[in-house]
């Protein structure tokens, strides 16, 4: 049975038509050590180091890991700290058509199957736990590194900015933005290399959010416009 837990609630996503599930992990977070700041997190301040050459343009490609927290498996040793509100066997049968035979396949090791109610635990790093953002950023940076996007090319306020912008990138939890001032095609090839790594690691990306070698895109709250300057994005993007 869980050693810690919390309620589950929803918050609105940008646009006002979708909801994001959040686990109230304050108790587990308070019991855990303080997490480090997520490394090399991109921000609008970091993008200020992008310099458009005279007469040139900056292009961008973007990739997004779909429901990234839900793709990151948590170690079995800590799952019991990620408890959720109890649900009865009757509710599972009525709402999910899940009988006890099927239920056995979802139980943690050593948990009895003949209970009247169950306390679900998260098998992934839940949004709402203090360490989850740090874990997600580390995992994203590892994907980038394997795709050839090394730390020397990263845009972040915790490291020195790259001396050139021929190929640089920013990473923000589940979002990768690749920039280049060296003409068409470079960010496309870098994004395709990242796509290949994501496929090899069985990481599902949100293809609806793909941007490829474009002169216009919203990046961590600012808008690249015509490849020449950064501005405030449209209200629907905030």
């Amino acid at each position: 049975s869980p050693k810690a837990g919390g309620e589950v609630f929803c918050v609105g996503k940008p646009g006002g038509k979708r909801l994001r599930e959040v686990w109230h992990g304050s108790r587990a977070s308070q019991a855990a050590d303080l997490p480090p700041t997520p490394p090399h997190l991109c921000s609008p301040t970091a993008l200020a180091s992008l310099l458009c050459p005279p007469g040139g343009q900056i292009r961008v490609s973007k990739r997004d890991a779909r429901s990234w927290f839900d793709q990151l498996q948590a170690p079995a040793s800590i799952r019991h700290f990620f408890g959720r509100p109890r649900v009865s066997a009757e509710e599972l049968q009525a709402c999910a058509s899940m009988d006890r035979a099927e239920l056995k396949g979802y139980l943690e090791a050593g948990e009895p199957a003949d209970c009247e109610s169950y306390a679900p635990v998260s098998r992934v790093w839940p949004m709402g736990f203090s360490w989850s953002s740090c874990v997600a950023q580390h995992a994203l940076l590892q994907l980038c590194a394997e795709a050839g996007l090394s730390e020397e090319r990263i845009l972040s306020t915790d490291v020195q900015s790259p001396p050139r912008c021929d190929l640089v990138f920013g990473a923000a939890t589940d979002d990768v933005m690749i920039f280049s001032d060296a003409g068409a095609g470079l960010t496309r090839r870098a994004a395709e290399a990242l796509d290949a790594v994501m496929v090899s690691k069985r990481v599902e990306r949100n293809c609806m959010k793909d941007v490829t070698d474009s002169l216009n895109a919203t990046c961590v709250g600012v808008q690249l416009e015509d490849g020449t300057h950064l501005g405030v994005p449209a209200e629907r993007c905030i």
Side-chain angles (χ1 to χ4, degrees):
S1 60
K3 297 178 181 179
E7 298 295 323
V8 176
F9 61 95
C10 294
V11 296
K13 285 188 173 184
K17 295 183 180 180
R18 297 177 299 160
L19 297 174
R20 185 193 306 277
E21 180 193 63
V22 179
W23 176 69
H24 199 319
S26 59
R27 292 175 61 191
S29 297
Q30 290 167 6
D33 290 338
L34 287 175
T37 301
H40 310 331
L41 195 64
C42 191
S43 66
T45 301
L47 296 188
S49 61
L50 285 171
L51 296 177
C52 183
Q57 292 175 307
I58 291 176
R59 292 180 175 271
V60 61
S61 290
K62 292 179 57 179
R63 294 295 188 264
D64 180 272
R66 183 191 298 274
S67 302
W68 187 217
F69 291 84
D70 293 336
Q71 298 192 59
L72 300 173
Q73 188 174 48
S77 59
I78 66 172
R79 292 174 187 167
H80 287 291
F81 294 96
F82 298 157
R84 296 181 172 225
R86 299 190 72 86
V87 59
S88 70
E90 290 183 358
E91 289 173 320
L92 290 172
Q93 174 66 48
C95 299
S97 300
M98 182 182 291
D99 58 24
R100 290 188 184 274
E102 182 181 1
L103 178 62
K104 290 181 180 179
Y106 294 95
L107 296 176
E108 292 291 288
E111 292 294 327
D114 55 348
C115 299
E116 293 301 318
S117 66
Y118 302 88
V121 295
S122 178
R123 292 185 174 182
V124 297
W125 289 91
M127 185 175 293
F129 180 55
S130 58
W131 279 80
S132 295
S133 292
C134 186
V135 171
Q137 181 72 359
H138 271 286
L140 190 69
L141 290 173
Q142 182 63 38
L143 294 176
C144 292
E146 294 189 29
L149 298 171
S150 61
E151 185 174 313
E152 292 75 20
R153 296 183 180 275
I154 200 163
L155 297 170
S156 175
T157 57
D158 62 354
V159 293
Q160 185 173 353
S161 298
R164 302 184 306 277
C165 292
D166 56 329
L167 187 65
V168 296
F169 77 102
T173 309
D174 59 358
D175 191 19
V176 178
M177 301 144 284
I178 307 169
F179 303 92
S180 175
D181 65 1
L186 276 175
T187 72
R188 176 188 296 273
R189 290 192 288 274
E192 290 173 349
L194 181 59
D195 293 342
V197 170
M198 295 176 79
V199 169
S200 70
K201 300 296 182 181
R202 298 183 179 181
V203 173
E204 183 179 355
R205 82 174 196 266
N206 188 346
C207 298
M208 297 293 292
K209 292 186 177 181
D210 281 2
V211 174
T212 301
D213 218 34
S214 177
L215 299 173
N216 299 276
T218 301
C219 304
V220 289
V222 294
Q223 179 78 17
L224 176 65
E225 299 177 350
D226 300 325
T228 58
H229 60 281
L230 298 173
V232 178
E235 184 177 353
R236 62 180 173 83
C237 298
I238 298 178

